[in-house]
Amino acid sequence: MIKRLTLIGIIVSVLCCMAACKNDVADTGQSVLDAEDRIIVLADTFVFHSGIDSCNAIISQADSFLLGEIETDYGLLRASILTQFACPEGYHYPAGFAVDSVDSVCLFMYYGSWEGDDLSPMSIDAYMMDKKTFRYSGTYPTDLNISDYCSRSQSILTNHRIVVASERLDSIQGSDGRYTPMIRMRVNDDFMRHFASIQSFESQEKFNEQFNGILIESSFGSSTMLNISDIALGVYYHFSYSKAGRDTIVHDMKAFYANSEVRTVNHLKYEDKRQLVETLQKDSDTYNYIIAPAGVYTRLRIPMSQIADTIMQHMDVDINETTSVTKRPYVNKAQVKVNVENVFSGSSSDVTRNDWLQPAGYMLLVKEESMERFFKNRELPTDTCALLGTLTQATDSVGNETYYYSYDLSQFLTNQLRKESNDSILDMLLVPVSIETSATSYSSTTVSSVRQQQTMSATKIRSAKNGMQLEIIYSGF
């Protein structure tokens, strides 16, 4: 046994340094051991099928939200926001505060980026969620029925707010000189009086009973999509107090934030999505697509039974004419490289509507049967369920830039081989995601959160028939 363990490291090192055919690798292992201790090392390449599929909706768990309407070659996307606001628990307005103490209430939205035409106007409106609100512990899909929460009976704004993404009318300049684009909208008197009448901030639950939240949406414009990062309501009020025998009037503001303490849900709708998927499927032999936040994925159909049969047929070794042993299988390397075809590298003046949607920075390869559970339970990537790939740049043999995601399924396939039975086909999905990282004690970072991507992206990849393969190096001892 000690002899076997010593040789494992030697063999893996040899494999990494040599480019030999299957038989040469196998002979290397066999030549240094007797029959009983023989270590089997082989390599094979497997072909598999890929194609696109879609789901009706994704779970809304974003930390930024889309707002607007934009048309691309992948369809027309409309995005609205339904949000609660955090209760400032324990807060009290100054003594003598009344509804008529409020001068105005404003709705603020901050956006860090946008897709589309930055000179195209869009109109924004807002409504009370006058039917019901969200449960903080609940999960909500991006295709939820808005009419269950909001009647849209009356706008809460004094007028429609016309926004041009590149304008800086309400922008705030930070200490670093950079501008944070902001949209400021004054609400009407009816909403102002309603919101000012809420003066009990005992708990979030009681606050939600008095104020469900608001719906924010665009009413025209199909060329711009804003990435909203923060939303707040600002209550501007005045109060008086006596100082040195004289009444003094003070003007102040209290902010209510749509933060992580409450629920914000992005409502997303791709028009004619079924027709889009059917059109893209016609090209599946050459290219596949992953589109966010449309919920259009690429499925990889891994031939698990074929892989298992191929590997296991080499695990039986004859010791002599009457005795044989079955080696324990290990997958040392199982590489899938996903080549990306639509990275835009031109100048800003060359941008077309195709270039508005660029490949996702992170792509999750996840077992299809586990995907819903993975995101609902907010799991992290593991080599038994899901693998995280990063968009990587390289240079080919003639100096051209190439881009790809890479996945090593070695531990994943090893676990599958150990099961008593395997499905004939193992279905896995390529899903665009956004991630959060946290620092470790060793000056490095680790992934702390993975969510389905709700910002816009489109990733065009080569299909399995167009060069995607699974290269496996495996061993038995």
Side-chain angles (χ1 to χ4, degrees):
M1 181 63 184
I2 295 175
K3 181 190 290 185
R4 295 181 187 177
L5 293 176
T6 303
L7 286 168
I8 292 173
I10 299 173
I11 292 172
V12 172
S13 300
V14 171
L15 288 174
C16 295
C17 299
M18 64 188 301
C21 68
K22 182 194 309 182
N23 290 337
D24 290 339
V25 176
D27 289 342
T28 301
Q30 295 172 5
S31 63
V32 295
L33 296 171
D34 55 39
E36 184 175 359
D37 289 334
R38 182 180 303 161
I39 298 177
I40 300 169
V41 182
L42 295 168
D44 273 295
T45 298
F46 296 88
V47 297
F48 54 88
H49 175 75
S50 67
I52 71 167
D53 199 357
S54 66
C55 65
N56 292 329
I58 61 178
I59 298 172
S60 185
Q61 294 180 331
D63 51 8
S64 64
F65 301 89
L66 298 179
L67 177 65
E69 184 176 305
I70 190 170
E71 185 173 9
T72 72
D73 280 359
Y74 302 105
L76 176 64
L77 174 64
R78 293 188 175 96
S80 305
I81 301 171
L82 298 97
T83 185
Q84 298 173 328
F85 289 84
C87 169
E89 294 187 15
Y91 176 75
H92 296 279
Y93 284 114
F97 178 91
V99 170
D100 58 6
S101 300
V102 176
D103 302 309
S104 64
V105 176
C106 292
L107 173 62
F108 298 91
M109 294 190 301
Y110 302 84
Y111 59 99
S113 61
W114 61 85
E115 274 79 38
D117 187 350
D118 60 358
L119 298 177
S120 178
M122 62 183 292
S123 176
I124 296 177
D125 218 331
Y127 304 87
M128 284 270 289
M129 288 169 56
D130 52 1
K131 291 189 174 182
K132 63 179 182 178
T133 191
F134 304 121
R135 292 180 298 106
Y136 183 76
S137 59
T139 57
Y140 298 91
T142 53
D143 67 343
L144 85 175
N145 190 351
I146 290 179
S147 62
D148 289 341
Y149 298 85
C150 177
S151 66
R152 293 191 180 93
S153 59
Q154 183 180 358
S155 171
I156 67 172
L157 302 183
T158 54
N159 50 54
H160 294 290
R161 179 66 160 85
I162 306 300
V163 176
V164 176
S166 59
E167 286 185 350
R168 296 178 176 175
L169 297 180
D170 297 321
S171 298
I172 299 175
Q173 186 177 19
S175 58
D176 58 359
R178 296 182 180 180
Y179 286 90
T180 300
M182 180 183 71
I183 303 168
R184 177 178 176 175
M185 297 166 283
R186 185 167 178 170
V187 306
N188 58 35
D189 291 344
D190 288 342
F191 179 83
M192 180 180 70
R193 284 190 291 269
H194 171 77
F195 197 75
S197 68
I198 306 173
Q199 298 181 33
S200 175
F201 304 114
E202 179 181 341
S203 67
Q204 186 67 49
E205 291 74 18
K206 291 187 177 298
F207 183 73
N208 289 344
E209 291 174 1
Q210 301 175 83
F211 178 55
N212 290 340
I214 62 174
L215 161 69
I216 308 169
E217 61 183 9
S218 64
S219 54
F220 77 80
S222 60
S223 299
T224 309
M225 186 67 70
L226 302 178
N227 293 317
I228 304 295
S229 57
D230 295 285
I231 304 172
L233 280 170
V235 179
Y236 295 85
Y237 62 92
H238 64 272
F239 64 96
S240 63
Y241 70 98
S242 179
K243 183 177 182 180
R246 302 176 62 180
D247 288 340
T248 301
I249 296 178
V250 177
H251 294 271
D252 204 352
M253 189 270 281
K254 178 61 182 175
F256 296 77
Y257 298 98
N259 57 24
S260 60
E261 298 175 6
V262 294
R263 293 308 305 267
T264 302
V265 176
N266 220 165
H267 179 268
L268 306 170
K269 183 179 181 181
Y270 257 97
E271 299 293 338
D272 302 321
K273 183 176 178 180
R274 180 177 296 179
Q275 181 179 348
L276 164 67
V277 173
E278 291 175 353
T279 300
L280 296 178
Q281 284 174 334
K282 296 176 182 178
D283 197 25
S284 286
D285 283 352
T286 308
Y287 298 108
N288 300 145
Y289 299 84
I290 307 105
I291 303 171
V296 175
Y297 310 126
T298 287
R299 176 185 288 107
L300 306 186
R301 310 207 72 196
I302 309 296
M304 197 61 225
S305 60
Q306 179 190 355
I307 294 172
D309 291 345
T310 301
I311 292 176
M312 293 308 298
Q313 71 178 349
H314 297 292
M315 295 298 107
D316 291 331
V317 177
D318 293 331
I319 296 176
N320 51 49
E321 294 182 357
T322 60
T323 307
S324 64
V325 295
T326 299
K327 302 295 183 177
R328 185 172 174 83
Y330 290 85
V331 178
N332 304 102
K333 184 177 181 181
Q335 197 76 24
V336 173
K337 187 176 181 182
V338 179
N339 293 293
V340 179
E341 296 293 305
N342 66 317
V343 176
F344 176 70
S345 56
S347 64
S348 58
S349 60
D350 299 327
V351 174
T352 69
R353 73 179 193 174
N354 289 331
D355 302 316
W356 291 346
L357 298 185
Q358 282 296 287
Y362 299 95
M363 191 72 68
L364 193 73
L365 181 62
V366 58
K367 291 174 66 174
E368 183 170 9
E369 64 182 26
S370 304
M371 188 182 78
E372 182 177 355
R373 184 207 73 215
F374 180 90
F375 290 111
K376 187 174 182 178
N377 296 342
R378 301 182 180 183
E379 298 179 18
L380 295 177
T382 65
D383 51 18
T384 60
C385 173
L387 300 169
L388 185 64
T390 302
L391 184 63
T392 303
Q393 179 183 344
T395 304
D396 64 16
S397 58
V398 294
N400 297 320
E401 289 184 353
T402 62
Y403 296 84
Y404 64 90
Y405 308 101
S406 183
Y407 305 92
D408 185 359
L409 282 70
S410 55
Q411 187 59 50
F412 185 91
L413 292 179
T414 297
N415 293 336
Q416 291 292 121
L417 288 172
R418 302 287 167 77
K419 293 183 176 181
E420 293 184 2
S421 62
N422 277 295
D423 295 330
S424 175
I425 299 294
L426 177 63
D427 286 327
M428 304 191 73
L429 296 176
L430 288 167
V431 180
V433 294
S434 58
I435 70 168
E436 293 179 2
T437 60
S438 57
T440 68
S441 57
Y442 299 101
S443 301
S444 60
T445 59
T446 183
V447 175
S448 57
S449 173
V450 177
R451 300 175 179 177
Q452 286 174 279
Q453 184 180 333
Q454 284 187 220
T455 53
M456 297 184 68
S457 72
T459 309
K460 179 181 179 181
I461 64 173
R462 292 183 194 173
S463 70
K465 288 187 176 181
N466 193 23
M468 201 189 318
Q469 296 178 327
L470 177 58
E471 300 174 352
I472 298 179
I473 297 175
Y474 55 95
S475 59
F477 48 89

